Amino acid sequence: MAQQATAGRRYLRVFVSGFFVAVPITVTVLDRFAYVARVEGASMQPFLNPEGGSDCDVVLLNRWSVRNYQVQRGDIVSVMSPRNPQQKIIKRVIGLEGDFIRTLGYKNRFVRVPDGHFWIEGDHHGHSLDSNSFGPVSMGLLHGRASHIIWPPNRWQQIKPSLPPNRGPLDTEEDEG
């Protein structure tokens, strides 16, 4: 009986010590490398949440890939909302610093994206709170890049950068000619 009590304490000690090692490692991985996020709402339809309703896509957000603020046009990114720092929003990068963008309802028809900023939009125009509402977004608000849709299982796929038709930076040579 004494052996069982000693073995039980040993297992408890191993479990507790493993727990105190696993928790900091898990927090570090989630903070530095990647985590999952549920995409709610219609702003990224039809690419994300194509069915609408209560069926929400779940994406893997890669934090490691944006550690040096390196994003490209067409990436789907998670940023802290410029309007509500407690909220994260997921949008598509349309323009990078220095790009000239034709806006969709912003106060200026054309905008040059300032240094250290980028232009983001939801795929479902008119149902998206994005740069057309609040302007260029600071790179400092960048939180992660969506790399895969991981739920529901029938939609599992890698997310590759792509721009919607007629979106993206203006070709300045073309506009001048």
Side-chain angles (χ1 to χ4, degrees), residues 109-125:
R109 181 77 176 122
F110 298 96
V111 170
R112 181 189 173 277
V113 180
D115 291 344
H117 291 72
F118 56 111
W119 190 268
I120 57 173
E121 293 180 355
D123 288 353
H124 195 206
H125 302 297

Side-chain angles (χ1 to χ4, degrees), residues 43-141:
S43 73
M44 287 302 295
Q45 286 177 341
F47 188 76
L48 297 174
N49 297 339
E51 303 298 318
S54 62
D55 295 335
C56 294
D57 285 347
V58 175
V59 296
L60 179 67
L61 291 172
N62 184 330
R63 291 190 38 86
W64 184 256
S65 68
V66 298
R67 69 191 179 283
N68 295 324
Y69 305 108
Q70 294 176 342
V71 294
Q72 57 184 322
R73 291 175 202 94
D75 279 345
I76 296 177
V77 296
S78 169
V79 298
M80 288 192 304
S81 170
R83 293 246 171 105
N84 178 4
Q86 305 301 316
Q87 180 184 28
K88 291 185 185 85
I89 58 176
I90 292 183
K91 305 294 176 196
R92 189 178 303 275
V93 175
I94 300 299
L96 302 172
E97 56 187 10
D99 287 346
F100 287 91
I101 301 294
R102 180 181 298 114
T103 67
L104 302 171
Y106 186 59
K107 61 185 176 184
N108 300 328
R109 181 77 176 122
F110 298 96
V111 170
R112 181 189 173 277
V113 180
D115 291 344
H117 291 72
F118 56 111
W119 190 268
I120 57 173
E121 293 180 355
D123 288 353
H124 195 206
H125 302 297
H127 290 87
S128 179
L129 188 61
D130 55 27
S131 286
N132 288 298
S133 303
F134 43 71
V137 175
S138 171
M139 289 280 199
L141 298 178

